[in-house]
PDB file of all heavy atoms in Angstrom:
ATOM      1  N   LEU A   1       1.115 -18.809  -4.999  1.00 94.00           N
ATOM      2  CA  LEU A   1      -0.118 -19.584  -4.996  1.00 94.00           C
ATOM      3  C   LEU A   1      -0.151 -20.621  -6.106  1.00 94.00           C
ATOM      4  O   LEU A   1      -0.949 -21.554  -6.065  1.00 94.00           O
ATOM      5  CB  LEU A   1      -1.328 -18.650  -5.120  1.00 94.00           C
ATOM      6  CG  LEU A   1      -1.454 -17.601  -4.007  1.00 94.00           C
ATOM      7  CD1 LEU A   1      -2.733 -16.800  -4.199  1.00 94.00           C
ATOM      8  CD2 LEU A   1      -1.428 -18.242  -2.638  1.00 94.00           C
ATOM      9  N   GLY A   2       0.725 -20.470  -7.085  1.00 91.00           N
ATOM     10  CA  GLY A   2       0.761 -21.397  -8.201  1.00 91.00           C
ATOM     11  C   GLY A   2       1.062 -20.663  -9.492  1.00 91.00           C
ATOM     12  O   GLY A   2       0.663 -19.504  -9.657  1.00 91.00           O
ATOM     13  N   GLY A   3       1.771 -21.322 -10.417  1.00 93.00           N
ATOM     14  CA  GLY A   3       2.092 -20.679 -11.682  1.00 93.00           C
ATOM     15  C   GLY A   3       2.829 -19.378 -11.456  1.00 93.00           C
ATOM     16  O   GLY A   3       3.816 -19.315 -10.725  1.00 93.00           O
ATOM     17  N   GLU A   4       2.317 -18.309 -12.081  1.00 95.00           N
ATOM     18  CA  GLU A   4       2.945 -16.993 -11.933  1.00 95.00           C
ATOM     19  C   GLU A   4       2.158 -16.103 -10.985  1.00 95.00           C
ATOM     20  O   GLU A   4       2.275 -14.872 -11.024  1.00 95.00           O
ATOM     21  CB  GLU A   4       3.072 -16.314 -13.307  1.00 95.00           C
ATOM     22  CG  GLU A   4       1.760 -15.963 -13.986  1.00 95.00           C
ATOM     23  CD  GLU A   4       1.225 -17.090 -14.878  1.00 95.00           C
ATOM     24  OE1 GLU A   4       1.501 -18.272 -14.588  1.00 95.00           O
ATOM     25  OE2 GLU A   4       0.535 -16.779 -15.865  1.00 95.00           O
ATOM     26  N   GLU A   5       1.356 -16.696 -10.106  1.00 96.00           N
ATOM     27  CA  GLU A   5       0.482 -15.940  -9.215  1.00 96.00           C
ATOM     28  C   GLU A   5       1.036 -15.954  -7.791  1.00 96.00           C
ATOM     29  O   GLU A   5       1.409 -16.997  -7.251  1.00 96.00           O
ATOM     30  CB  GLU A   5      -0.917 -16.538  -9.231  1.00 96.00           C
ATOM     31  CG  GLU A   5      -1.956 -15.656  -8.568  1.00 96.00           C
ATOM     32  CD  GLU A   5      -3.354 -16.174  -8.797  1.00 96.00           C
ATOM     33  OE1 GLU A   5      -3.644 -17.299  -8.337  1.00 96.00           O
ATOM     34  OE2 GLU A   5      -4.152 -15.467  -9.448  1.00 96.00           O
ATOM     35  N   PHE A   6       1.067 -14.763  -7.164  1.00 97.00           N
ATOM     36  CA  PHE A   6       1.601 -14.608  -5.813  1.00 97.00           C
ATOM     37  C   PHE A   6       0.569 -13.906  -4.940  1.00 97.00           C
ATOM     38  O   PHE A   6      -0.372 -13.280  -5.439  1.00 97.00           O
ATOM     39  CB  PHE A   6       2.893 -13.774  -5.833  1.00 97.00           C
ATOM     40  CG  PHE A   6       4.019 -14.391  -6.595  1.00 97.00           C
ATOM     41  CD1 PHE A   6       4.106 -14.238  -7.979  1.00 97.00           C
ATOM     42  CD2 PHE A   6       4.999 -15.133  -5.945  1.00 97.00           C
ATOM     43  CE1 PHE A   6       5.146 -14.811  -8.701  1.00 97.00           C
ATOM     44  CE2 PHE A   6       6.044 -15.696  -6.657  1.00 97.00           C
ATOM     45  CZ  PHE A   6       6.117 -15.547  -8.029  1.00 97.00           C
ATOM     46  N   CYS A   7       0.801 -13.999  -3.636  1.00 96.00           N
ATOM     47  CA  CYS A   7      -0.058 -13.346  -2.660  1.00 96.00           C
ATOM     48  C   CYS A   7       0.834 -12.587  -1.682  1.00 96.00           C
ATOM     49  O   CYS A   7       1.883 -13.088  -1.269  1.00 96.00           O
ATOM     50  CB  CYS A   7      -0.905 -14.396  -1.926  1.00 96.00           C
ATOM     51  SG  CYS A   7      -1.898 -13.752  -0.565  1.00 96.00           S
ATOM     52  N   PHE A   8       0.424 -11.369  -1.322  1.00 97.00           N
ATOM     53  CA  PHE A   8       1.172 -10.558  -0.361  1.00 97.00           C
ATOM     54  C   PHE A   8       0.147  -9.974   0.617  1.00 97.00           C
ATOM     55  O   PHE A   8      -0.774  -9.279   0.212  1.00 97.00           O
ATOM     56  CB  PHE A   8       1.911  -9.431  -1.089  1.00 97.00           C
ATOM     57  CG  PHE A   8       3.025  -8.790  -0.290  1.00 97.00           C
ATOM     58  CD1 PHE A   8       4.323  -8.793  -0.761  1.00 97.00           C
ATOM     59  CD2 PHE A   8       2.774  -8.170   0.929  1.00 97.00           C
ATOM     60  CE1 PHE A   8       5.364  -8.210  -0.036  1.00 97.00           C
ATOM     61  CE2 PHE A   8       3.796  -7.585   1.658  1.00 97.00           C
ATOM     62  CZ  PHE A   8       5.096  -7.600   1.171  1.00 97.00           C
ATOM     63  N   VAL A   9       0.323 -10.259   1.905  1.00 95.00           N
ATOM     64  CA  VAL A   9      -0.616  -9.770   2.923  1.00 95.00           C
ATOM     65  C   VAL A   9       0.172  -8.980   3.964  1.00 95.00           C
ATOM     66  O   VAL A   9       1.191  -9.454   4.462  1.00 95.00           O
ATOM     67  CB  VAL A   9      -1.365 -10.925   3.615  1.00 95.00           C
ATOM     68  CG1 VAL A   9      -2.411 -10.371   4.596  1.00 95.00           C
ATOM     69  CG2 VAL A   9      -2.025 -11.841   2.591  1.00 95.00           C
ATOM     70  N   ARG A  10      -0.330  -7.776   4.275  1.00 94.00           N
ATOM     71  CA  ARG A  10       0.281  -6.968   5.329  1.00 94.00           C
ATOM     72  C   ARG A  10      -0.787  -6.542   6.323  1.00 94.00           C
ATOM     73  O   ARG A  10      -1.734  -5.835   5.955  1.00 94.00           O
ATOM     74  CB  ARG A  10       0.994  -5.751   4.773  1.00 94.00           C
ATOM     75  CG  ARG A  10       1.538  -4.825   5.893  1.00 94.00           C
ATOM     76  CD  ARG A  10       2.504  -3.798   5.362  1.00 94.00           C
ATOM     77  NE  ARG A  10       3.733  -4.409   4.883  1.00 94.00           N
ATOM     78  CZ  ARG A  10       4.760  -3.741   4.338  1.00 94.00           C
ATOM     79  NH1 ARG A  10       4.671  -2.421   4.208  1.00 94.00           N
ATOM     80  NH2 ARG A  10       5.843  -4.373   3.932  1.00 94.00           N
ATOM     81  N   PRO A  11      -0.643  -6.946   7.584  1.00 92.00           N
ATOM     82  CA  PRO A  11      -1.598  -6.506   8.605  1.00 92.00           C
ATOM     83  C   PRO A  11      -1.300  -5.086   9.072  1.00 92.00           C
ATOM     84  O   PRO A  11      -0.177  -4.592   8.960  1.00 92.00           O
ATOM     85  CB  PRO A  11      -1.359  -7.510   9.747  1.00 92.00           C
ATOM     86  CG  PRO A  11       0.058  -7.937   9.582  1.00 92.00           C
ATOM     87  CD  PRO A  11       0.344  -7.904   8.101  1.00 92.00           C
ATOM     88  N   GLY A  12      -2.346  -4.414   9.561  1.00 90.00           N
ATOM     89  CA  GLY A  12      -2.154  -3.113  10.195  1.00 90.00           C
ATOM     90  C   GLY A  12      -2.072  -1.925   9.262  1.00 90.00           C
ATOM     91  O   GLY A  12      -1.684  -0.838   9.702  1.00 90.00           O
ATOM     92  N   VAL A  13      -2.399  -2.095   7.959  1.00 93.00           N
ATOM     93  CA  VAL A  13      -2.361  -0.964   7.032  1.00 93.00           C
ATOM     94  C   VAL A  13      -3.767  -0.663   6.524  1.00 93.00           C
ATOM     95  O   VAL A  13      -4.587  -1.564   6.340  1.00 93.00           O
ATOM     96  CB  VAL A  13      -1.428  -1.233   5.828  1.00 93.00           C
ATOM     97  CG1 VAL A  13       0.007  -1.338   6.279  1.00 93.00           C
ATOM     98  CG2 VAL A  13      -1.854  -2.460   5.044  1.00 93.00           C
ATOM     99  N   ASP A  14      -4.031   0.627   6.324  1.00 93.00           N
ATOM    100  CA  ASP A  14      -5.310   1.021   5.731  1.00 93.00           C
ATOM    101  C   ASP A  14      -5.172   1.068   4.215  1.00 93.00           C
ATOM    102  O   ASP A  14      -4.123   0.675   3.659  1.00 93.00           O
ATOM    103  CB  ASP A  14      -5.769   2.371   6.280  1.00 93.00           C
ATOM    104  CG  ASP A  14      -4.738   3.483   6.050  1.00 93.00           C
ATOM    105  OD1 ASP A  14      -3.801   3.279   5.235  1.00 93.00           O
ATOM    106  OD2 ASP A  14      -4.862   4.551   6.688  1.00 93.00           O
ATOM    107  N   ALA A  15      -6.190   1.553   3.520  1.00 93.00           N
ATOM    108  CA  ALA A  15      -6.182   1.549   2.057  1.00 93.00           C
ATOM    109  C   ALA A  15      -5.056   2.421   1.500  1.00 93.00           C
ATOM    110  O   ALA A  15      -4.444   2.085   0.479  1.00 93.00           O
ATOM    111  CB  ALA A  15      -7.531   2.018   1.524  1.00 93.00           C
ATOM    112  N   VAL A  16      -4.754   3.526   2.183  1.00 94.00           N
ATOM    113  CA  VAL A  16      -3.678   4.397   1.715  1.00 94.00           C
ATOM    114  C   VAL A  16      -2.337   3.675   1.815  1.00 94.00           C
ATOM    115  O   VAL A  16      -1.514   3.681   0.887  1.00 94.00           O
ATOM    116  CB  VAL A  16      -3.647   5.708   2.516  1.00 94.00           C
ATOM    117  CG1 VAL A  16      -2.434   6.556   2.137  1.00 94.00           C
ATOM    118  CG2 VAL A  16      -4.940   6.489   2.296  1.00 94.00           C
ATOM    119  N   GLY A  17      -2.109   3.054   2.934  1.00 93.00           N
ATOM    120  CA  GLY A  17      -0.862   2.312   3.114  1.00 93.00           C
ATOM    121  C   GLY A  17      -0.770   1.122   2.159  1.00 93.00           C
ATOM    122  O   GLY A  17       0.313   0.785   1.665  1.00 93.00           O
ATOM    123  N   ALA A  18      -1.920   0.491   1.886  1.00 95.00           N
ATOM    124  CA  ALA A  18      -1.933  -0.641   0.968  1.00 95.00           C
ATOM    125  C   ALA A  18      -1.569  -0.207  -0.441  1.00 95.00           C
ATOM    126  O   ALA A  18      -0.811  -0.886  -1.148  1.00 95.00           O
ATOM    127  CB  ALA A  18      -3.309  -1.305   0.981  1.00 95.00           C
ATOM    128  N   ARG A  19      -2.094   0.955  -0.857  1.00 95.00           N
ATOM    129  CA  ARG A  19      -1.762   1.441  -2.208  1.00 95.00           C
ATOM    130  C   ARG A  19      -0.277   1.793  -2.294  1.00 95.00           C
ATOM    131  O   ARG A  19       0.371   1.528  -3.307  1.00 95.00           O
ATOM    132  CB  ARG A  19      -2.624   2.652  -2.558  1.00 95.00           C
ATOM    133  CG  ARG A  19      -2.377   3.176  -3.975  1.00 95.00           C
ATOM    134  CD  ARG A  19      -3.356   4.255  -4.344  1.00 95.00           C
ATOM    135  NE  ARG A  19      -4.714   3.778  -4.452  1.00 95.00           N
ATOM    136  CZ  ARG A  19      -5.216   3.152  -5.524  1.00 95.00           C
ATOM    137  NH1 ARG A  19      -4.433   2.922  -6.575  1.00 95.00           N
ATOM    138  NH2 ARG A  19      -6.455   2.754  -5.531  1.00 95.00           N
ATOM    139  N   ARG A  20       0.253   2.382  -1.246  1.00 95.00           N
ATOM    140  CA  ARG A  20       1.672   2.732  -1.234  1.00 95.00           C
ATOM    141  C   ARG A  20       2.536   1.467  -1.341  1.00 95.00           C
ATOM    142  O   ARG A  20       3.515   1.422  -2.086  1.00 95.00           O
ATOM    143  CB  ARG A  20       1.998   3.491   0.051  1.00 95.00           C
ATOM    144  CG  ARG A  20       3.408   4.075   0.077  1.00 95.00           C
ATOM    145  CD  ARG A  20       3.672   4.831   1.377  1.00 95.00           C
ATOM    146  NE  ARG A  20       2.739   5.938   1.540  1.00 95.00           N
ATOM    147  CZ  ARG A  20       1.853   6.036   2.531  1.00 95.00           C
ATOM    148  NH1 ARG A  20       1.780   5.102   3.465  1.00 95.00           N
ATOM    149  NH2 ARG A  20       1.051   7.081   2.606  1.00 95.00           N
ATOM    150  N   LEU A  21       2.163   0.405  -0.595  1.00 96.00           N
ATOM    151  CA  LEU A  21       2.912  -0.850  -0.651  1.00 96.00           C
ATOM    152  C   LEU A  21       2.789  -1.497  -2.025  1.00 96.00           C
ATOM    153  O   LEU A  21       3.796  -1.955  -2.597  1.00 96.00           O
ATOM    154  CB  LEU A  21       2.394  -1.815   0.425  1.00 96.00           C
ATOM    155  CG  LEU A  21       2.946  -3.243   0.384  1.00 96.00           C
ATOM    156  CD1 LEU A  21       4.460  -3.253   0.581  1.00 96.00           C
ATOM    157  CD2 LEU A  21       2.252  -4.114   1.439  1.00 96.00           C
ATOM    158  N   ALA A  22       1.590  -1.523  -2.575  1.00 96.00           N
ATOM    159  CA  ALA A  22       1.386  -2.131  -3.892  1.00 96.00           C
ATOM    160  C   ALA A  22       2.214  -1.412  -4.958  1.00 96.00           C
ATOM    161  O   ALA A  22       2.808  -2.053  -5.838  1.00 96.00           O
ATOM    162  CB  ALA A  22      -0.100  -2.115  -4.253  1.00 96.00           C
ATOM    163  N   GLU A  23       2.282  -0.106  -4.877  1.00 96.00           N
ATOM    164  CA  GLU A  23       3.072   0.652  -5.849  1.00 96.00           C
ATOM    165  C   GLU A  23       4.561   0.361  -5.677  1.00 96.00           C
ATOM    166  O   GLU A  23       5.305   0.266  -6.676  1.00 96.00           O
ATOM    167  CB  GLU A  23       2.797   2.147  -5.691  1.00 96.00           C
ATOM    168  CG  GLU A  23       3.621   3.043  -6.610  1.00 96.00           C
ATOM    169  CD  GLU A  23       3.468   2.704  -8.088  1.00 96.00           C
ATOM    170  OE1 GLU A  23       2.393   2.216  -8.485  1.00 96.00           O
ATOM    171  OE2 GLU A  23       4.454   2.920  -8.849  1.00 96.00           O
ATOM    172  N   ALA A  24       5.014   0.207  -4.441  1.00 96.00           N
ATOM    173  CA  ALA A  24       6.421  -0.124  -4.211  1.00 96.00           C
ATOM    174  C   ALA A  24       6.759  -1.487  -4.808  1.00 96.00           C
ATOM    175  O   ALA A  24       7.826  -1.671  -5.403  1.00 96.00           O
ATOM    176  CB  ALA A  24       6.721  -0.118  -2.706  1.00 96.00           C
ATOM    177  N   ILE A  25       5.842  -2.426  -4.688  1.00 96.00           N
ATOM    178  CA  ILE A  25       6.059  -3.760  -5.266  1.00 96.00           C
ATOM    179  C   ILE A  25       6.064  -3.679  -6.786  1.00 96.00           C
ATOM    180  O   ILE A  25       6.946  -4.234  -7.455  1.00 96.00           O
ATOM    181  CB  ILE A  25       4.977  -4.734  -4.765  1.00 96.00           C
ATOM    182  CG1 ILE A  25       5.131  -4.991  -3.265  1.00 96.00           C
ATOM    183  CG2 ILE A  25       5.035  -6.046  -5.541  1.00 96.00           C
ATOM    184  CD1 ILE A  25       3.978  -5.771  -2.650  1.00 96.00           C
TER     185      ILE A  25
END
């Protein structure tokens, strides 16, 4: 998005799956 800022979007995941993905990143 600019500078040192990024965006990651994943469709089809709930909050549990989102936390798992964020931790993997």
Side-chain angles (χ1 to χ4, degrees):
L1 301 183
E4 65 270 29
E5 192 171 63
F6 297 84
C7 174
F8 197 121
V9 184
R10 175 167 293 179
V13 294
D14 57 14
V16 174
R19 183 173 293 279
R20 188 180 300 117
L21 172 61
E23 177 56 30
I25 293 171

